Amino acid sequence: MSEKGFVIWFTGLSGSGKSALGDALHKEISNSGKKCERLDGDVVRNIFPETGFAKDDRNTHIKKMGFIASLLEKNGIIVVASFISPYKESRGFVRELCSRFIEVYLSTPLETCEKRDVKGLYRRAREGEIESFTGISAPFETPMFPEIVIDTTDETVDQSLERIMQYLKERGFLIDESS
């Protein structure tokens, strides 16, 4: 039986835990022998540093990443994507492109994200050094109907990972072939 791909899309504020949880999920799925690719906002922006942060730039960027994710999905690859993706418009566009799309909203409060900010981005945004910073000078539009909602304030990566894996198995996205 050929594998069916799917896209699991992490969205949330900077510092909410998207990359940590996405990395853990990618590792878990890859270690099970399934074809899995990882798309991460920080990594992609390092490769394409000219990507802007204004609303139109962000929407275009997310739509491009969603298109790539949909191509991988159509070829039987599981895609673990983590992008702030602050706007409903572009998240909806990605959802429509993908056949099997799971949105994971990391609802971690702004205060918690600011406490975790080792790069000082929130401080710099509050001081006006960074324009269009999501959660400070640019909005984050809360997802309306995400499949999974996780607040990582008091939940470890392992606990969150366990919840996501349970969701994926219960709904048939991941089939345990050892049983």
Side-chain angles (χ1 to χ4, degrees):
M1 177 172 108
S2 67
E3 290 285 325
K4 281 190 173 181
F6 64 87
V7 175
I8 185 158
W9 192 277
F10 291 92
T11 182
L13 294 173
S14 178
S16 62
K18 296 177 305 300
S19 293
L21 195 47
D23 289 345
L25 180 61
H26 176 258
K27 181 178 178 184
E28 181 85 9
I29 292 171
S30 295
N31 285 346
S32 74
K34 299 194 182 311
K35 294 186 290 183
C36 187
E37 286 295 335
R38 182 81 173 88
L39 297 174
D40 181 77
D42 289 339
V43 174
V44 173
R45 282 186 178 275
N46 283 335
I47 295 169
F48 302 108
E50 70 283 354
T51 305
F53 289 94
K55 182 176 182 175
D56 287 345
D57 295 330
R58 284 180 177 273
N59 274 332
T60 299
H61 177 64
I62 293 306
K63 288 175 179 180
K64 288 176 183 177
M65 295 302 102
F67 178 71
I68 292 169
S70 75
L71 291 177
L72 291 167
E73 175 202 26
K74 286 175 187 154
N75 283 283
I77 297 169
I78 298 165
V79 180
V80 178
S82 52
F83 296 91
I84 292 172
S85 43
Y87 299 108
K88 292 175 189 175
E89 173 193 337
S90 53
R91 290 193 311 262
F93 179 86
V94 175
R95 182 181 286 277
E96 290 298 316
L97 278 179
C98 301
S99 300
R100 294 169 24 108
F101 182 84
I102 303 141
E103 184 175 45
V104 180
Y105 169 43
L106 297 187
S107 65
T108 309
L110 176 63
E111 303 76 45
T112 301
C113 294
E114 284 191 82
K115 288 178 187 171
R116 295 178 179 168
D117 183 22
V118 294
K119 297 178 193 172
L121 298 174
Y122 282 103
R123 178 191 51 76
R124 291 178 53 214
R126 288 196 182 278
E127 292 173 356
E129 292 178 35
I130 300 175
E131 293 180 24
S132 299
F133 192 82
T134 303
I136 304 298
S137 53
F140 180 87
E141 298 173 357
T142 303
M144 298 294 286
F145 304 105
E147 283 72 19
I148 304 171
V149 178
I150 297 174
D151 179 347
T152 62
T153 303
D154 297 315
E155 191 168 293
T156 67
V157 170
D158 287 340
Q159 290 168 327
S160 297
L161 177 62
E162 187 176 319
R163 287 181 51 208
I164 293 168
M165 290 299 292
Q166 181 178 349
Y167 176 95
L168 295 174
K169 288 174 183 174
E170 285 175 356
R171 285 162 180 83
F173 286 97
L174 292 177
I175 299 166
D176 185 6
E177 294 165 4
S178 64
S179 52

